[in-house]
Structures are given as structure tokens and as C-alpha cells.
Amino acid sequence: MYAQMVKSTGKGVQSRNEMSPEDRAFQDRIDRGEKIEPKDYMPPSYRKTLIRQIGQHAHSEIVGQLPEGNWITRAPTLERKANLLAKVQDEAGHGLYLYCAAETLGVSRDELVEMLHSERMKYSSIFNYPTLTWADMGAVGWLVDGAAIMNQVPLQRTSYGPYARAMVRICKEESFHQRQGYHIMIRMAKEGTDDQKRMAQDALNRFWYPALMMFGPSDKDSVHSAQSMAWRIKINTNDELRQKFVDETVPQAEFLGLSIPDENLRWNEETGHYDFSEPDWSEFFDVISGNGPCNAERLSARRKAWEDGAWVRDAMLAHARKAQNKSKAAE
Amino acid sequence: MSHQNEWPLWEVFIRGQHGMSHRHVGSLHAADAEHAIRNARDVYTRRNEGVSIWVVEAEKITASSPSDKGPLFDPSRDKVYRHPTFYDIPDEVGKM
């Protein structure tokens, strides 16, 4: 999931008796499946949790451009380069849709950016892993975008109108991302040379567990889920989505002739699902709290882009104001 | 933190391919109207979604407030005679 550890109240679900009449009416609207719009009443904790969640989601799209941006200049063909550019441009667009959705809750764009840069807001742990070879572009599209889609499709039905509408646009565009990644994997793993097959397997080995971590901690350790689910800003539990992802991805790996790096992986006839090993959660908590292989690099790239772009932002604003004053003076 | 140096927010409306009216698609930040149109083209029409773009500075929009919902919209609820199905026309008359 692009928003992996969103704090809500941390106290479990508020019962109806504890709610003020306003909050009860609000919960009734959500239970009826109504959408909450920016000017409608909402409990402060709903607003705050949503700002965290949408902000984290937006930051993930923006930071998510970096591991792939790394390969634009080194794509093997002009066509692949055009594909990758379009994908990375989409990520920028998705970040912008989501920032705007967050801004309808009363936080400004500058505040959001500032919170990312000062590490007061998080982004998905997945983008703190390096992309070492071209096969990683295949694995990222296939697994990372695949996991993101799995999370984002249900969010199209989320209770907050602007967020739901942003998710509809994003889901429409994202399917191409996963398919272009899988296409790269087909070329390398099925049709490629022995070296390319090894690269494809290596990419799967490195991205498998980080992809499983994208859905967030195991349900038993997920203290904020229940309240978020009552508010319908989270639709499925982390473990439900992770299972769904494994069930869909394993046959895709088999088609490629690649093996999932998990010796406990097997089809369970009784449950109708695959059994699989959980990722190393201590690694996850390490990466999400800032100590992954690329955290420092990603954040410094974002800060540099922001600082280097400051003069452009200022100059454009100054120019616009000057032009406005001129036309006012001429009136 | 001051936001005086933030580009203003614009609401974006796009006319799709099929002769429909412009429809709200989202918002973005831009220094001025021309810049907003350019950004809207990059952010909201990457897949040939539109043939025309309107941008309006968000603060120039006046919106009805949620608390006005009753007084504004309730009066039209009970006026079923504004719909054609309210009027029974004998079958002999044919299609009307």
C-alpha cells in the first residue's frame, strides 16, 4: 500500500455512545455509503487522519519517480525510454491529484512538501530500495505497481469524495504501468539470454519481500486499521490485500518461469489460497523509520529539487503579479 | 509557515471529445491563467481526454454551503408535476 502506517486515533473504534450527536450523524452518513465533501461536517480526527493518509500517498507517488527516473537515460531502446518517461510523468500527475485532494482538507501544498522534507510525513517504504539493473524496471512495474493497484482499486469507494475521485483517475491510468513492467519481464525472463533471465530472477528476489511490505504491518500489529475502516478510508485489511496479491502474482511468476524466493510458498487446497512467508518486519520498521538503503538519497534528491526550483517558482509568481498590476494600472 | 509564495489554486474544467459541456476534473497550482492552462494540459489531458480547457481561480468560485441544502433543494422535491410521467395520456392518442 502506498500509505502503509497511517496513524488514526490509535484507540480503536469509537463506539456510538462515545460520539457527539454530530459525529453520530456523520458516521451514519458513511454507513449509508454517502460521500463526504470538503465543506461538510467531519470530526477533526477524520480530517487529520485523511491528511496523513492522502499526504503519504501523494508523497509516495512523487518519491516513487526517483527509482525509475534513474533508468530513463539508460533504457535499452527508444521505445522503452518513451514508455518509462510516460510512466514517470503519470506518477507526477498522480502525486498532483492527491496533493489537491489533501488540500481540500485545509492543509497547504507547501506545508505538505515541508512535512515530507522534514520527515514528519512518510512515504512508502518500497521506494527506499535501489534499482540496480534494467530488470528492476520490470519488477517495479509488475510487483510495485501491481501491489499499488490492489490497494487503490478499493479506495475508489472511499468515503471522502475528492480522494475517491482522485483514485478513479489514478486506477484508470495505472494499469498500463503494471503491464509495461510485466512486458519487460516477459522479454527478459522468457525470451531473453541466460544473463537476462538471471537478471530477471535477481530482480524478483530483491523486490518480492519489499513488495509484500507495501501492504503495511500484519493485521495483529495494525492498531489504526479499525477506526480507518469504520470511516471507510480503508476498505480491506493489510493481510487481506497481501494474500490477494500473492494469489494473483504467483501464477504470473510461473508463467515467466521465475521462482518466488520463498521456500514455504505452497498452494493450500483447504483455504484456496497460497501459504507464504511473512516479510521480515524488523526490516520494514527500519526502512519506514528512515534507515533503508536509499532513504537519505531519496530525501536529499527531493530537497534539492525543491530548493533548486525555488527561483523558478518565485520568478513566475513575481512575473504574474507584475503583469496583473500593469493591467490594473491600464484600466 | 507562510504561504504567500505559493502559486494560487485553479480549478480545471475539460470538454471531452464528444461535444459535452466542460466538466470539472480537478485542480492545480499555477502562477497565472496561461500557466494554469499549460499545467492543466500536462496534468489532466495526458491521454487525449479533452478538446478544450477552462481554468478558474479557485477563490473566485462562490459555492452554496452544505447547510443550505434543505432550503435550496427541498422545494423542488414535491413537484412531481414537473415530470412528463405525471400526466396520463390515453393510449389512443399515440406517442407523445
Side-chain angles (χ1 to χ4, degrees):
Chain A
M1 169 163 181
Y2 273 7
Q4 291 161 310
M5 282 186 61
V6 180
K7 287 190 188 139
S8 62
T9 58
K11 295 184 208 136
V13 189
Q14 202 184 23
S15 77
R16 288 186 68 82
N17 302 336
E18 297 170 297
M19 290 180 195
S20 66
E22 269 174 321
D23 287 359
R24 219 171 296 144
F26 172 83
Q27 187 63 49
D28 288 341
R29 291 191 61 196
I30 290 188
D31 294 344
R32 283 196 299 269
E34 287 180 26
K35 293 276 185 249
I36 309 302
E37 295 296 341
K39 290 170 115 189
D40 295 351
Y41 170 79
M42 60 187 90
S45 48
Y46 175 86
R47 184 187 298 275
K48 213 167 138 189
T49 306
L50 259 182
I51 290 175
R52 281 204 193 104
Q53 176 169 337
I54 305 174
Q56 205 178 110
H57 201 153
H59 296 326
S60 298
E61 298 283 357
I62 297 300
V63 177
Q65 295 176 92
L66 298 171
E68 291 177 306
N70 182 36
W71 280 92
I72 290 173
T73 54
R74 286 175 286 161
T77 66
L78 202 52
E79 186 183 283
R80 290 288 186 209
K81 182 174 177 166
N83 301 160
L84 195 57
L85 258 176
K87 180 176 189 290
V88 172
Q89 196 189 17
D90 271 356
E91 315 291 7
H94 296 175
L96 295 179
Y97 307 157
L98 287 161
Y99 280 134
C100 284
E103 287 173 75
T104 62
L105 293 159
V107 64
S108 79
R109 177 76 59 94
D110 280 2
E111 278 171 312
L112 289 165
V113 170
E114 208 274 322
M115 284 192 276
L116 170 68
H117 292 176
S118 61
E119 298 177 62
R120 282 183 295 143
M121 276 179 109
K122 296 182 193 313
Y123 56 90
S124 176
S125 59
I126 191 72
F127 303 118
N128 291 313
Y129 292 87
T131 45
L132 304 176
T133 74
W134 175 250
D136 290 10
M137 294 303 95
V140 166
W142 171 35
L143 301 172
V144 175
D145 289 270
I149 290 169
M150 204 139 278
N151 172 250
Q152 292 175 152
V153 166
L155 283 177
Q156 295 178 101
R157 292 178 286 120
T158 190
S159 61
Y160 189 56
Y163 191 26
R165 292 190 286 274
M167 287 328 302
V168 169
R169 290 190 72 87
I170 290 176
C171 288
K172 234 189 246 172
E173 298 179 349
E174 198 112 68
S175 168
F176 129 67
H177 298 183
Q178 189 187 16
R179 291 172 67 117
Q180 69 87 36
Y182 196 65
H183 196 251
I184 292 173
M185 292 308 262
I186 292 177
R187 278 294 153 79
M188 295 189 77
K190 268 185 98 81
E191 301 161 8
T193 62
D194 285 348
D195 275 344
Q196 288 173 322
K197 284 176 190 166
R198 266 197 299 275
M199 281 165 72
Q201 180 63 55
D202 173 59
L204 171 58
N205 292 350
R206 283 181 291 108
F207 276 96
W208 176 251
Y209 288 105
L212 293 187
M213 293 176 199
M214 287 177 68
F215 299 96
S218 163
D219 291 350
K220 57 183 192 297
D221 302 317
S222 188
V223 284
H224 304 286
S225 286
Q227 181 61 65
S228 290
M229 288 176 85
W231 283 330
R232 290 185 66 80
I233 56 179
K234 186 180 176 115
I235 313 287
N236 306 89
T237 73
N238 297 349
D239 287 338
E240 267 168 31
L241 290 172
R242 193 170 6 253
Q243 181 71 58
K244 192 162 183 261
F245 175 76
V246 172
D247 290 346
E248 281 191 20
T249 308
V250 171
Q252 295 165 356
E254 282 166 3
F255 176 82
L256 294 171
L258 298 178
S259 45
I260 304 280
D262 177 3
E263 51 188 31
N264 297 318
L265 184 93
R266 60 184 55 86
W267 178 252
N268 185 328
E269 203 65 62
E270 254 168 62
T271 60
H273 296 287
Y274 283 94
D275 294 336
F276 61 97
S277 304
E278 297 231 343
D280 174 358
W281 290 117
S282 63
E283 177 183 320
F284 168 74
F285 288 111
D286 246 12
V287 176
I288 196 92
S289 56
N291 302 314
C294 299
N295 294 58
E297 189 186 327
R298 301 293 185 235
L299 270 177
S300 77
R302 283 315 310 155
R303 289 191 194 109
K304 183 175 186 307
W306 182 252
E307 284 157 17
D308 289 355
W311 72 271
V312 180
R313 293 193 299 276
D314 292 346
M316 291 201 61
L317 198 61
H319 175 76
R321 282 180 181 157
K322 206 168 136 189
Q324 209 175 22
N325 290 339
K326 239 191 215 163
S327 76
K328 263 194 200 139
E331 269 166 21
Chain B
M1 212 179 132
S2 131
H3 310 296
Q4 293 204 323
N5 287 324
E6 217 177 77
W7 290 341
L9 189 69
W10 300 76
E11 298 299 331
V12 180
F13 301 80
I14 306 261
R15 185 203 296 285
Q17 299 285 350
H18 307 293
M20 311 291 279
S21 37
H22 286 74
R23 206 175 136 224
H24 183 243
V25 293
S27 44
L28 49 75
H29 289 271
D32 57 27
E34 191 194 343
H35 184 211
I37 295 262
R38 281 172 198 235
N39 282 359
R41 174 238 187 220
D42 287 344
V43 178
Y44 291 105
T45 66
R46 286 194 303 283
R47 287 173 177 77
N48 202 24
E49 288 96 335
V51 293
S52 161
I53 301 173
W54 287 351
V55 292
V56 184
E57 217 176 321
E59 62 170 34
K60 301 266 166 68
I61 292 180
T62 309
S64 65
S65 94
S67 56
D68 289 341
K69 208 172 133 194
L72 280 179
F73 305 115
D74 282 354
S76 72
R77 266 208 211 173
D78 53 2
K79 296 182 177 55
V80 282
Y81 47 84
R82 284 184 172 158
H83 297 278
T85 45
F86 179 76
Y87 303 92
D88 275 335
I89 304 288
D91 287 346
E92 302 99 279
V93 180
K95 200 168 175 276
M96 184 179 280

